[in-house]
Amino acid sequence: SAVISQKPSRDICQRGTSLTIQCQVDSQVTMMFWYRQQPGQSLTLIATANQGSEATYESGFVIDKFPISRPNLTFSTLTVSNMSPEDSSIYLCSVSPTSGGTDTQYFGPGTRLTVL
Amino acid sequence: AQSVTQLGSHVSVSEGALVLLRCNYSSSVPPYLFWYVQYPNQGLQLLLKYTSAATLVKGINGFEAEFKKSETSFHLTKPSAHMSDAAEYFCAVREGGGADGLTFGKGTHLIIQP
């Protein structure tokens, strides 16, 4: 299994500002994913981040709002830009050791974001 | 496109009773199916997964799930509920062979009555 840490664990931000969330894994992984869990809701995939290539965004999510970096096989960042109260959510990093469909995805503890 | 439906946003059972959480999926190709549990203020933990080997899958904490292709279902069961099982349970699907993220159901909140 993979051990995943996220920073910050929680933050309270003002409308119009940006926050960068870091995800660190204790081993090299092929696939990294970012999910959003809005209050009382399920998880929604934001994007898939592969090292050395542009992130792939799901419908409804755009790079200008959620820029992602993946500089190496153990680290990724997600930025939530120009925040509004609707961005208040838990943001979760997830990793998959390989690109196989049977692979378990492991989840980080999440970053709880509140936008005022 | 793949999708997951979890019947019942809240399920309440008595301690010691059978737990049954329902999950139906829709997928255009053979799917890989997962059950995750989320305890209050914690991250997601994998309970079990189906990857086209055995149709009856055993997971952690006494949970198991059976893949039924004819019913497009992957229901989660546990013979005897424990107070510590109270949590949010998510069913998720990933289309076979892909390198995609997971599609999650809306979740079922399991309540254990003493």
Side-chain angles (χ1 to χ4, degrees):
Chain A
S1 65
V3 178
I4 306 164
S5 60
Q6 287 185 232
K7 290 182 181 179
S9 59
R10 59 178 62 225
D11 207 342
I12 301 172
C13 300
Q14 295 298 318
R15 180 194 301 260
T17 62
S18 297
L19 176 72
T20 295
I21 302 168
Q22 299 179 4
C23 176
Q24 179 75 53
V25 192
D26 69 340
S27 58
Q28 293 185 343
V29 294
T30 303
M31 310 293 295
M32 295 184 80
F33 307 89
W34 287 96
Y35 291 82
R36 181 175 72 182
Q37 186 176 23
Q38 294 177 298
Q41 301 297 314
S42 185
L43 285 81
T44 301
L45 181 64
I46 297 172
T48 301
N50 295 329
Q51 193 240 348
S53 63
E54 295 285 333
T56 303
Y57 289 82
E58 297 298 305
S59 176
F61 297 96
V62 296
I63 187 171
D64 290 347
K65 176 68 175 177
F66 298 101
I68 288 171
S69 76
R70 176 85 196 271
N72 57 52
L73 293 174
T74 63
F75 187 78
S76 177
T77 67
L78 169 76
T79 299
V80 186
S81 303
N82 188 25
M83 287 183 287
S84 67
E86 292 71 35
D87 294 320
S88 297
S89 295
I90 298 173
Y91 292 87
L92 297 107
C93 172
S94 174
V95 306
S96 189
T98 70
S99 60
T102 62
D103 252 11
T104 297
Q105 283 192 19
Y106 300 97
F107 285 81
T111 295
R112 184 180 295 270
L113 171 62
T114 302
V115 184
L116 302 178
Chain B
Q2 57 203 18
S3 65
V4 177
T5 302
Q6 291 184 242
L7 294 177
S9 59
H10 292 76
V11 170
S12 180
V13 303
S14 299
E15 189 174 18
L18 171 72
V19 175
L20 170 60
L21 304 182
R22 300 178 187 274
C23 173
N24 289 89
Y25 69 91
S26 171
S27 176
S28 59
V29 299
Y32 299 123
L33 295 158
F34 305 80
W35 275 100
Y36 284 86
V37 60
Q38 186 177 37
Y39 297 104
N41 299 314
Q42 295 187 29
L44 273 76
Q45 181 181 4
L46 180 73
L47 276 177
L48 49 81
K49 64 180 181 181
Y50 167 76
T51 60
S52 76
T55 56
L56 181 63
V57 182
K58 294 186 183 298
I60 62 171
N61 301 338
F63 284 94
E64 63 182 38
E66 185 172 9
F67 172 71
K68 292 187 177 181
K69 183 178 179 180
S70 61
E71 299 178 8
T72 60
S73 68
F74 191 56
H75 302 331
L76 182 71
T77 61
K78 181 174 180 177
S80 178
H82 191 272
M83 295 299 291
S84 61
D85 294 326
E88 192 80 18
Y89 291 80
F90 293 98
C91 182
V93 64
R94 186 186 210 182
E95 292 199 329
D100 299 328
L102 297 172
T103 298
F104 282 84
K106 293 185 179 298
T108 297
H109 185 62
L110 178 62
I111 301 162
I112 310 296
Q113 304 280 4

